[in-house]
Amino acid sequence: MTVALIGALLLAGQVKHVWDGHAELAALRAHGLHSRAQASLTTSCTQGRGISCQTSSVWLDFIDADGDSVSVPEEAIDGSLYVPHGHRDAEDRVATTVVYDRANPYEAQPAGALDQSVLDLAAHRWIAWTIALALLGGGTAGAIAAWPPRPTPRRPA
């Protein structure tokens, strides 16, 4: 039963993370301002069975609505960065568009990140979902299997 409870708590935590990411994106969609930007990407590559590259940080440089120059690291949404795509210049920058709240331009996101759906956000955490569901299912099955059997009624002789 304890394993099922742990699985249920992990599952609830995953739902909360996805909900928070969805709410953050919805707020930017509804009230965000758009601005042209340059995204500076920090990418590291490893070689194993092939070359595998992963972007570890994205810096967004843009001019906000007040004319101020803003340089800010992209905050991960639901634990994952959105990496702007396109032609990289000699300094490894990609032209993109950012969306930000005028009250706080330092929480800007690349506009492409707003295209993520709830399923996209959930897919970022597929390992955690799998573990939570396995614990919940296994714990529930174990609890049912360990449930004491019903006594069989005695037949009168």
Side-chain angles (χ1 to χ4, degrees):
M1 190 63 177
T2 303
V3 174
L5 181 61
I6 291 170
L9 290 173
L10 284 172
L11 195 60
Q14 295 312 306
V15 169
K16 182 185 180 329
H17 282 291
V18 170
W19 181 259
D20 289 347
H22 175 69
E24 181 180 343
L25 291 175
L28 280 174
R29 278 186 208 106
H31 306 292
L33 299 175
H34 290 72
S35 179
R36 290 181 177 245
Q38 290 291 322
S40 300
L41 311 175
T42 303
T43 304
S44 60
C45 297
T46 58
Q47 188 171 357
R49 293 184 180 180
I51 296 177
S52 173
C53 298
Q54 183 173 3
T55 300
S56 57
S57 71
V58 177
W59 278 85
L60 303 168
D61 299 307
F62 64 98
I63 305 296
D64 70 4
D66 296 328
D68 297 326
S69 179
V70 178
S71 181
V72 61
E74 176 188 346
E75 293 293 324
I77 295 176
D78 193 35
S80 182
L81 289 175
Y82 174 82
V83 179
H85 301 286
H87 175 73
R88 293 184 183 194
D89 65 13
E91 295 175 358
D92 232 11
R93 294 179 305 184
V94 176
T96 190
T97 301
V98 295
V99 179
Y100 64 96
D101 180 355
R102 185 176 189 144
N104 190 359
Y106 292 95
E107 291 183 8
Q109 288 290 330
L114 303 183
D115 295 336
Q116 297 180 88
S117 69
V118 171
L119 291 177
D120 294 324
L121 296 175
H124 295 302
R125 301 174 159 275
W126 71 270
I127 292 174
W129 285 100
T130 303
I131 292 169
L133 290 171
L135 289 173
L136 180 61
T140 302
I144 291 170
W147 197 263
R150 288 191 225 170
T152 54
R154 291 189 174 193
R155 294 186 186 173

